[in-house]
Amino acid sequence: MGFWWRPLGVLASIMLVALILWAASGWVAALGFLAGIQAYVMLRRLWQEYRLSRWLENPDEVDPPDAGGSWGDIFYRLQKLQRRQRASRSELSNALEQFEHAAMAVPDGMVILNDDERIDWCNPASRKYMGLDCERDRGQFIRYLMRQADFLDFLDAADYARRLVCKSPINRDVTLSLQLVPFGEGKKLLVARDITDLERVDAMRRDFIANVSHELRTPLTVVGGFVETLADAPELPPDEARRYFDLMLDHTRRMQHLLDDLLTLSRLESTDHTLKDEPVNVAELAHALKAEAESLSHGRHRVSLQLDSSAGLKGSLQEIRSALGNLVSNAVRYTPDGGEITLAWRERNGEGIFSVTDTGEGIAAEHIPRLTERFYRVDRSRSRETGGTGLGLAIVKHVLTRHDARLDVQSIPGKGSTFSAIFPAQRLRAAPPSASVIPFPGQAQAG
């Protein structure tokens, strides 16, 4: 009713004036008055319609019409609708811009395909993984750009629950997981995710299980065989029975060492295992390691210790002891009888370097990058003969990484090797009062 009261009031006023004119001047004057009013209304309506048309054609450039009466109400409501539409459009534009920025920042490759499997849009990551460029390849058939047979079969199947694992067409070292997601009117979203690390971890898991099974199979077979022999022949001569028991004990200890190393690695890799920050007297630790090397050697090697620094370390004494002990025990195992083993502690360029040098057989250059892999052995048969578990250098790497340190290996086949644990300056601490220093004679050591 709010809209009608004004036009009805104007119409009543016009009719009242017309009646007065009819009574005063006759019907001709009344009709002339009504005709003039009708002409005025029509012309005003045409003018307002023209102004409305101009405004609707260019709402952002032309100011909204200003009028009174019912036309003013119409213009006011249209202007409110326009403002609401602009606000909504602005919100949609901002949301679209944010979505586009988010899609551009997503680390996974994303490609929008239309119903003809042409590329409508793709993000920068799709170039990294699939070699696609949004500007260059927009409108191109995806089949023409990625022609691998397994990918084409994947497209034909249109199985949205399936994922395709394949190598990147531009980098064979990268493994991708591809998935199609339907959306909109016949469109599909192709998502490419880099799962190289996951595949590598899965391969490491498979290798780890296979290696542990292989390492345990031999001692278990030996122990089981001896147990069966003893069960079938309880009256063995004492010397032969003793030999069987000694062999079973050796293999049992080997399995125990393997399990101990596995538990150590598990503890080092656990996120709940926090690193202690305690003082480590390296000089005293080096003397203890020298005594351990002499005990393991049983006089078969010449073991010497050279201290050129009295500095200590900050970290976990137990972990550092384990890592450096592994370097020492490896040197004893792989150095032939009569060889020399030198333990040294020194500082160079602000770093602390604990090195173990031996005169063993040395290691070929192609093996050095893989020495810290679990169960990796240069000579598997000899490693088993010496009682190694294949996990020692993996433990060393984990301990040094936890202490911001690194392992450096220098080796010459036939001449020997130097394994150096290099600790950063922030891990060094002032010398403890009881530390003694034996001057380092200047022998060249690899860092």
Side-chain angles (χ1 to χ4, degrees):
M1 189 63 184
F3 172 79
W4 291 103
W5 71 269
R6 182 180 298 168
L8 290 176
V10 172
L11 180 60
S13 299
I14 292 174
M15 294 304 295
L16 180 60
V17 172
L19 290 174
I20 294 173
L21 286 175
W22 192 349
S25 304
W27 63 272
V28 175
L31 288 177
F33 171 74
L34 291 175
I37 291 298
Q38 180 66 23
Y40 169 77
V41 170
M42 292 182 61
L43 290 175
R44 185 171 182 270
R45 177 179 177 180
L46 290 174
W47 170 244
Q48 299 295 6
E49 288 177 352
Y50 168 73
R51 296 173 68 193
L52 176 61
S53 176
R54 287 184 62 241
W55 179 44
L56 293 178
E57 287 179 359
N58 301 289
D60 296 328
E61 299 178 4
V62 179
D63 294 333
D66 184 17
S70 59
W71 280 102
D73 291 339
I74 293 173
F75 291 151
Y76 173 72
R77 287 182 170 82
L78 287 175
Q79 192 174 3
K80 282 183 61 177
L81 182 63
Q82 184 191 46
R83 285 197 297 265
R84 192 180 303 122
Q85 185 181 20
R86 284 177 178 174
S88 177
R89 185 171 58 187
S90 177
E91 291 178 0
L92 289 175
S93 178
N94 291 336
L96 181 61
E97 186 177 356
Q98 291 179 4
F99 171 78
E100 186 173 356
H101 287 166
M104 298 288 277
V106 169
D108 298 336
M110 301 174 64
V111 183
I112 295 178
L113 305 175
N114 62 19
D115 53 357
D116 292 330
E117 295 183 347
R118 294 178 183 266
I119 297 174
D120 280 349
W121 175 88
C122 56
N123 68 344
S126 63
R127 182 183 189 126
K128 176 182 177 183
Y129 296 137
M130 295 177 283
L132 303 178
D133 183 90
C134 190
E135 298 299 328
R136 180 194 65 201
D137 299 327
R138 190 189 300 272
Q140 297 292 322
F141 286 104
I142 187 69
R143 293 175 179 268
Y144 293 169
L145 302 176
M146 297 180 62
R147 302 186 180 185
Q148 295 90 332
D150 52 352
F151 176 72
L152 298 179
D153 293 340
F154 175 67
L155 283 180
D156 291 334
D159 185 357
Y160 300 120
R162 174 191 169 195
R163 294 176 185 268
L164 173 66
V165 177
C166 62
K167 293 295 182 181
S168 167
I170 61 173
N171 187 351
R172 304 301 296 175
D173 294 331
V174 175
T175 302
L176 299 178
S177 172
L178 303 181
Q179 185 177 15
L180 281 173
V181 180
F183 78 101
E185 292 292 332
K187 292 190 175 184
K188 291 175 284 190
L189 177 65
L190 175 64
V191 181
R193 177 168 297 173
D194 183 0
I195 60 169
T196 306
D197 291 339
L198 294 177
E199 285 288 299
R200 186 180 296 114
V201 169
D202 190 54
M204 290 176 61
R205 179 188 59 81
R206 293 193 300 267
D207 291 344
F208 176 75
I209 293 174
N211 284 323
V212 170
S213 302
H214 182 73
E215 293 295 331
L216 290 175
R217 183 180 294 115
T218 299
L220 284 174
T221 301
V222 172
V223 172
F226 285 146
V227 170
E228 291 177 359
T229 300
L230 292 172
D232 294 337
E235 302 299 330
L236 284 175
D239 293 342
E240 189 172 355
R242 170 52 56 189
R243 186 172 66 87
Y244 285 173
F245 281 120
D246 289 342
L247 288 172
M248 285 191 291
L249 182 60
D250 288 342
H251 284 281
T252 301
R253 286 173 176 168
R254 177 180 165 189
M255 287 188 288
Q256 183 63 49
H257 291 159
L258 176 60
L259 293 176
D260 289 342
D261 284 350
L262 287 172
L263 289 174
T264 299
L265 273 175
S266 176
R267 185 175 64 254
L268 291 173
E269 293 175 344
S270 173
T271 56
D272 297 331
H273 185 57
T274 57
L275 179 65
K276 295 181 180 179
D277 194 10
E278 57 189 347
V280 178
N281 189 325
V282 180
E284 291 182 0
L285 177 58
H287 282 288
L289 292 174
K290 177 178 180 293
E292 181 179 318
E294 292 171 339
S295 175
L296 291 172
S297 174
H298 298 292
R300 295 180 293 110
H301 310 95
R302 293 186 298 277
V303 182
S304 61
L305 173 62
Q306 298 169 337
L307 295 176
D308 188 39
S309 172
S310 60
L313 290 171
K314 291 184 294 184
S316 170
L317 173 60
Q318 181 181 2
E319 293 184 15
I320 294 176
R321 172 73 173 76
S322 174
L324 302 185
N326 271 301
L327 297 182
V328 171
S329 62
N330 281 349
V332 174
R333 286 193 186 100
Y334 298 110
T335 300
D337 293 354
E340 296 183 7
I341 298 173
T342 303
L343 283 61
W345 171 243
R346 57 197 170 98
E347 292 182 63
R348 187 180 68 186
N349 298 328
E351 297 178 318
I353 303 174
F354 186 93
S355 59
V356 179
T357 302
D358 63 62
T359 57
E361 297 179 357
I363 304 168
E366 64 268 21
H367 295 293
I368 291 177
R370 301 189 60 188
L371 289 178
T372 56
E373 294 181 12
R374 299 179 183 186
F375 298 109
Y376 183 81
R377 294 187 174 97
V378 177
D379 187 341
R380 288 186 174 271
S381 61
R382 184 174 180 195
S383 178
R384 292 194 181 92
E385 291 173 2
T386 58
T389 64
L391 297 173
L393 290 179
I395 293 175
V396 172
K397 178 184 176 182
H398 276 78
V399 170
L400 295 184
T401 300
R402 282 168 56 83
H403 287 79
D404 310 310
R406 67 186 188 278
L407 177 67
D408 181 78
V409 182
Q410 301 293 329
S411 185
I412 301 176
K415 293 187 177 181
S417 307
T418 297
F419 286 75
S420 299
I422 304 175
F423 295 88
Q426 62 266 27
R427 284 288 170 186
L428 299 183
R429 62 185 295 271
S434 61
S436 58
V437 180
I438 302 175
F440 188 69
Q443 177 182 348
Q445 294 287 330

